[in-house]
């Protein structure tokens, strides 16, 4: 075997090993952003992230107030209800190793709050069967592939003096499991 062929095989194997390790690395880390946010939140409860803690997270805009809800759908769907803010408001849904899979903003809000129901497809099918055909649906329904995940709530802080108001909006938010009737 000529030396140039061995060198080519070596380079290809090294390249392949590096590419594979880059794809495997996120699955082995225990201190990724998802894990850090998940640790700070009790299940099905809103946890406000303080401004100092936001600085330690990568790619987070300092002009937002943020809270998270670590949801668990095993007991039933989870309802997220956030009162409207004077500025931009959004809810992003994320799952481990999948990242953000859905996001809604205050433009979808009705009745003074952003109301989002996260459920498995089976739970959503059950909710649809229970719907009253005469009544309009005023909530946003979002299917989740897995039973657990994070809801990331963000309120834009347009000036430093409005951070306290944005945090009040997040403190008033609710993340609660709902039991479906039999």
């Amino acid at each position: 075997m000529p030396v140039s062929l061995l060198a080519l095989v070596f380079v290809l194997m090294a390249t392949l090993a590096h590419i594979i390790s880059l794809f495997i690395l996120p699955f082995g880390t225990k201190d990724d952003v998802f894990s850090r946010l998940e640790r700070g939140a009790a299940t099905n409860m809103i946890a406000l992230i303080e401004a100092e803690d936001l600085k330690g997270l990568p790619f987070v805009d300092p002009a937002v107030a943020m809270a998270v809800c670590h949801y668990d759908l095993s007991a039933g769907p989870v309802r997220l209800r956030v009162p409207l803010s004077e500025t931009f408001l959004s809810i992003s849904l994320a799952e481990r190793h999948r990242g953000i899979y859905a996001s809604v903003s205050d433009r979808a809000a009705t009745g003074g709050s952003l109301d989002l129901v996260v459920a498995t497809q089976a739970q959503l099918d059950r909710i649809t069967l229970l719907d009253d055909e005469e009544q309009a649906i005023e909530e946003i329904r979002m299917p989740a592939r897995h039973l657990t995940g994070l809801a990331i709530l963000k309120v834009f802080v347009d000036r430093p003096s409005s951070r306290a108001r944005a945090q009040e909006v997040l403190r008033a938010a609710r993340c609660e499991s709902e039991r479906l009737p039999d």
Side-chain angles (χ1 to χ4, degrees):
M1 233 177 178
V3 173
S4 61
L5 184 60
L6 285 175
L8 180 63
V9 170
F10 176 75
V11 169
L12 288 175
M13 293 301 287
T15 302
L16 185 62
H18 280 85
I19 290 172
I20 290 171
S21 67
L22 285 174
F23 283 110
I24 291 175
L25 189 62
F27 295 99
T29 184
K30 299 291 185 226
D31 199 34
D32 61 341
V33 173
F34 190 95
S35 298
R36 283 191 258 170
L37 291 174
E38 188 178 49
R39 275 194 300 261
T43 303
N44 296 341
M45 295 185 69
I46 298 290
L48 185 66
I49 300 173
E50 298 299 329
E52 302 81 43
D53 296 332
L54 283 176
K55 293 176 186 174
L57 298 174
F59 309 114
V60 173
D61 187 348
V64 296
M66 197 162 87
V68 295
C69 168
H70 175 226
Y71 66 81
D72 184 354
L73 305 176
S74 58
V78 169
R79 180 177 300 274
L80 292 147
R81 182 171 286 142
V82 186
L84 291 180
S85 165
E86 298 162 359
T87 61
F88 178 77
L89 161 71
S90 72
I91 301 173
S92 299
L93 301 175
E95 292 177 343
R96 182 177 302 283
H97 305 303
R98 184 176 174 198
I100 294 175
Y101 68 91
S103 186
V104 295
S105 73
D106 54 359
R107 292 201 155 228
T110 58
S113 67
L114 183 55
D115 198 7
L116 176 68
V117 174
V118 183
T120 64
Q121 189 59 54
Q123 292 167 342
L124 284 176
D125 293 343
R126 178 86 173 112
I127 291 169
T128 303
L129 288 174
L130 296 170
D131 281 343
D132 182 4
E133 292 179 20
E134 303 291 322
Q135 187 149 353
I137 299 168
E138 295 188 3
E139 64 199 17
I140 300 164
R141 296 174 180 169
M142 198 67 62
R145 279 195 210 165
H146 303 286
L147 291 176
T148 61
L150 285 179
I152 304 164
L153 293 70
K154 294 181 182 179
V155 176
F156 178 65
V157 179
D158 58 348
R159 57 190 175 279
S161 61
S162 66
R163 182 166 290 281
R165 175 66 187 126
Q167 289 176 331
E168 283 177 32
V169 169
L170 293 173
R171 281 189 193 96
R174 296 288 168 252
C175 176
E176 300 167 334
S177 181
E178 294 185 344
R179 186 162 294 284
L180 293 174
D182 293 329

